[in-house]
C-alpha cells in the first residue's frame, strides 16, 4: 500500500528578485518524492532559507513507507512552527 501524502501550506509574501524586480506571484507547489528520507529536513530548511529566490506556497511529502512519512511530517511541522 502506498503511503499518504502530507501537505504543508506556507504563508505568502511579496518576493523580489536580486535585481529588485518583483517575481510573479505564482503558487508554487513542491512535491518531495521520497519525503520520508533523512535528507528531507535539510531540503526543507534550504527551501525556507531561500524563500526570496524560491517562493513556494505548499509542500507535499510523499513516501511509500508510511511510517517514515509520518515521522518526517512531525519533524517538518516542528521546523515550520519554529520558523514562524
Amino acid at each position: 500500500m502506498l503511503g499518504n501524502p502530507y501537505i504543508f501550506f506556507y504563508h505568502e509574501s511579496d518576493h523580489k528578485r536580486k535585481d529588485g524586480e518583483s517575481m510573479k506571484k505564482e503558487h508554487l507547489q513542491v512535491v518531495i518524492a521520497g519525503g520520508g528520507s533523512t535528507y528531507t529536513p535539510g531540503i526543507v530548511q534550504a527551501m525556507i532559507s531561500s524563500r526570496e529566490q524560491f517562493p513556494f506556497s505548499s509542500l507535499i511529502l510523499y513516501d511509500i513507507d508510511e511510517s517514515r512519512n509520518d515521522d518526517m511530517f512531525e519533524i517538518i511541522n516542528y521546523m515550520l512552527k519554529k520558523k514562524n
Side-chain angles (χ1 to χ4, degrees), residues 20-66:
E21 294 290 322
S22 292
M23 294 183 72
K24 282 184 169 180
K25 285 199 172 189
E26 295 179 18
H27 298 283
L28 297 178
Q29 296 181 341
V30 177
V31 177
I32 299 179
S37 168
T38 56
Y39 290 106
T40 300
I43 293 168
V44 173
Q45 183 61 45
M47 289 171 53
I48 292 169
S49 297
S50 302
R51 287 281 294 158
E52 289 188 24
Q53 296 90 356
F54 188 69
F56 65 98
S57 59
S58 68
L59 169 64
I60 301 169
L61 300 181
Y62 189 79
D63 200 290
I64 60 171
D65 186 333
E66 191 170 354

Side-chain angles (χ1 to χ4, degrees), residues 12 53 66 69 79:
E12 293 200 36
Q53 296 90 356
E66 191 170 354
N69 212 37
M79 289 171 61

Side-chain angles (χ1 to χ4, degrees), residues 8 72-82:
F8 300 92
M72 282 304 129
F73 169 78
E74 296 298 330
I75 292 168
I76 302 305
N77 205 27
Y78 173 79
M79 289 171 61
L80 292 173
K81 285 180 182 178
K82 187 176 178 184

